[in-house]
Amino acid sequence: QVHVVESGGGLVQAGGSLRLSCADPRVILSVFRSDTMAWYRQSPGNLREMVAVSTSGGGTDYADSVKGRFTISRDNARKRVYLQMNNLTPEDTGVYYCKITRRGSDNWGQGTQVTVSS
């Protein structure tokens, strides 16, 4: 069973930064290394959209709207993934969800709220 735990959301002014964290607390390192970890976000009235992805092979991908501002990274020692968000704008406001893809199955967290004030 995959348990997805997110943290790090909050309220920040435009131009500020936040770091989100995601992990499955019970995962072992060998399994974590094979997971694809991704962040999505959803704002009111909009579909959930991919923000950033970190693959097991070390690749990353980003939505065009966050390129150059957001960075996804993996910490193997802590078996978690981070999303560093810089130069935030009000358009970044939404609920951010972590998705862990393991053995072909997608597992979602409960989401963490990010609010950027102008």
Side-chain angles (χ1 to χ4, degrees):
Q1 183 177 358
V2 182
H3 189 49
V4 184
V5 179
E6 304 133 326
S7 62
L11 172 64
V12 65
Q13 289 188 332
S17 298
L18 284 174
R19 189 177 76 161
L20 307 182
S21 175
C22 173
D24 171 3
R26 292 172 287 190
V27 72
I28 60 175
L29 182 57
S30 61
V31 174
F32 173 75
R33 288 182 183 273
S34 67
D35 288 342
T36 294
M37 311 286 286
W39 287 98
Y40 286 69
R41 69 184 178 192
Q42 188 168 19
S43 56
N46 293 316
L47 297 175
R48 191 174 297 187
E49 63 173 348
M50 186 276 290
V51 175
V53 178
S54 171
T55 69
S56 59
T60 58
D61 194 18
Y62 297 91
D64 288 342
S65 59
V66 307
K67 284 180 180 177
R69 300 187 300 122
F70 290 13
T71 302
I72 189 169
S73 61
R74 301 171 78 110
D75 184 340
N76 287 335
R78 290 177 172 81
K79 296 176 287 183
R80 58 181 57 238
V81 67
Y82 299 103
L83 183 67
Q84 178 66 43
M85 306 185 293
N86 298 327
N87 195 21
L88 286 159
T89 72
E91 288 69 36
D92 295 314
T93 293
V95 179
Y96 283 68
Y97 298 90
C98 178
K99 184 180 78 170
I100 299 176
T101 302
R102 180 174 300 164
R103 300 186 181 101
S105 294
D106 292 336
N107 304 273
W108 294 88
Q110 295 291 322
T112 184
Q113 177 70 44
V114 171
T115 303
V116 184
S117 63
S118 57

